[in-house]
Amino acid sequence: MTLVAGVDSSTQSCKVVIRDAETGALVRQGRAAHPDGTEVDPEAWWTALGEAVDQAGGLDDVAAVGVAAQQHGMVCLDESGQVVRDALLWNDTRSAQAAADLVAELGGPAAWAAAVGSVPVASFTVSKLRWLAEHEPDSARRTASVCLPHDWLTWRLAGRSGAPVTDRGDASGTGYWSPATGSYRTDLLKAALGSVPQLPRVLGPRDGAGEVRLARDPRARAWGSAPVQDGALLAPGTGDNMAAALGVGARPGDVVVSIGTSGTAFAVAEAPSADPSGAVAGFADATGRFLPLVCTLNAARVLDAAARMLGVGLDRLGELALAAPPGAGGLVCVPYLEGERTPNLPDATGSLHGLTLETSTPGHLARAAVEGMLCHLADAFDALGLDPARVLLVGGGARSEAVRRIAPAVFGRPVVVPEPGEYVADGAARQAAWLLGGTDEPPVWEGGASARYEADPFPEIRARYAEARPLG
Ligand SMILES: Nc1ncnc2c1ncn2[C@@H]1O[C@H](COP(=O)(O)OP(=O)(O)O)[C@@H](O)[C@H]1O
Ligand SMILES: O=C(CO)[C@@H](O)[C@H](O)COP(=O)(O)O
């Protein structure tokens, strides 16, 4: 049996799956937590990857590895390849003003959409680099190259040999690479940072990124006890949403909603997109196609926060929500707990509307949190402007039975939840298998059983949410 490994280095944790390259059967897996916070020393991702690999029984018998990671994170390296400062993550909003300035300087949102398919907000790498130039000029001057979390991890697995490389999907989240032309816009990078540091070469979906070379990295030997033998091929890797699309085998026509730290709604498309409103980011995917995507800052952690407020676990939160009436008796949660990206309200806070003596119960609050999060995601889904027969629901939040059962009423269409799994890591593993196979399209892996959820539409939930949303 030929084995491949897929890595998901996402916001909250690192997950590793090891699968049979031919059938996709899961053989082993591991996971490790990432630190909290919106700026992180990349070394913490490396340590977590080591723990997750160790838990997954090592990479010794693996023929190829693919790394997917959270998008947009700014990893600045100096002349010697050392990290200049902690990486600013996609959910760090300090670069909101920098983004607004960049948009104005180029002549407005439509000019950015035409140039790179997306309108920068605080999340985009280009905005973070402008923030760096303005607030930490010394770090900006020391920055000899800039890469993304998955580029950096792949380069570390390659024993830091050569320079970091990237792929179309992740490059499309920088704000200085155009999915439509397939080229960097170094003029936009220079306008943001004041200089043009070295940039990762953009690999095609089936290009190799070198080989695992850990023997030369003394710190990798401190990873753990599981064996890691050098020589496995490295796939190009990609951003976590692109890998999720590959992991669920999304085809043109499918719409996927992912409930992770971020909430995302995305679709595989044959042509690039450019939304001048900025709601839809015109990303590239990991198969040579495109991935129009709407991203929110608030998703699964809204459930975490509600559970914390009620002093219960996530399972109990779900039970409480399901026992409460649809619409939560008029209690509405607008879940902007971390500010928001879509709509672009970086300083917003969350709020509850419709509190009465009747709705002041744990059940109503739990229901309002689930419904508010789903209404927010349904707005993201609507922004794509598509009308699919069903929605594919993935991400940590999709493990909640309450989310699965309430989602079809909010989305107004059936929701299909693939067998619970690590779809980002699976997509990265599938990319690794594709590299080995050398076929035109990714290998077809038999999916597990998916569950279909249907419910009568309950339009009042979204109507009340739409009334409460502008009130903040
Ligand atoms: N059984 C569950 N019910 C509700 N939420 C869950 C459950 N299991 C995991 N989660 C949520 O999944 C989230 C993590 O999702 P994940 O997709 O792994 O995030 P990320 O990829 O951004 O690190 C947590 O915030 C947690 O709230
Ligand atoms: O910024 C985006 C997409 O544009 C986020 O989706 C990040 O890619 C983080 O993803 P998760 O850690 O929530 O999966």
Side-chain angles (χ1 to χ4, degrees), residues 325-405:
L331 187 63
V332 178
C333 169
V334 179
Y336 299 157
L337 306 189
E338 285 208 277
E340 193 39 83
R341 161 172 166 179
T342 319
N344 186 15
L345 299 168
D347 300 321
T349 53
S351 49
L352 279 174
H353 300 265
L355 264 179
T356 61
L357 283 178
E358 187 207 342
T359 61
S360 301
T361 73
H364 286 85
L365 179 59
R367 182 98 194 182
V370 174
E371 290 179 350
M373 181 197 75
L374 286 169
C375 286
H376 186 35
L377 283 169
D379 285 351
F381 168 86
D382 285 354
L384 286 175
L386 301 170
D387 187 19
R390 56 181 202 165
V391 170
L392 291 169
L393 204 61
V394 298
R399 292 181 191 267
S400 157
E401 186 64 17
V403 167
R404 295 164 174 217
R405 285 175 45 191

Side-chain angles (χ1 to χ4, degrees), residues 8-15 31 34 70 90 240 258-263 299-305 313-315 317-318 373 394-403 421-422 424:
D8 171 15
S9 176
S10 285
T11 315
Q12 296 190 50
S13 61
C14 181
K15 303 134 195 174
R31 81 153 52 210
H34 281 162
Q70 54 181 311
W90 64 278
D240 55 3
S258 169
I259 310 177
T261 314
S262 63
R301 289 211 275 215
V302 175
L303 306 182
D304 296 337
L314 287 168
D315 288 346
L317 180 84
M373 181 197 75
V394 298
R399 292 181 191 267
S400 157
E401 186 64 17
V403 167
E422 297 302 342
V424 174

Side-chain angles (χ1 to χ4, degrees), residues 1-4 19-25 429 432-434 436 443 445:
M1 192 195 306
T2 305
L3 298 181
V4 288
R19 289 188 174 269
D20 178 348
E22 198 183 325
T23 64
W434 194 11
L436 289 179
W445 283 350

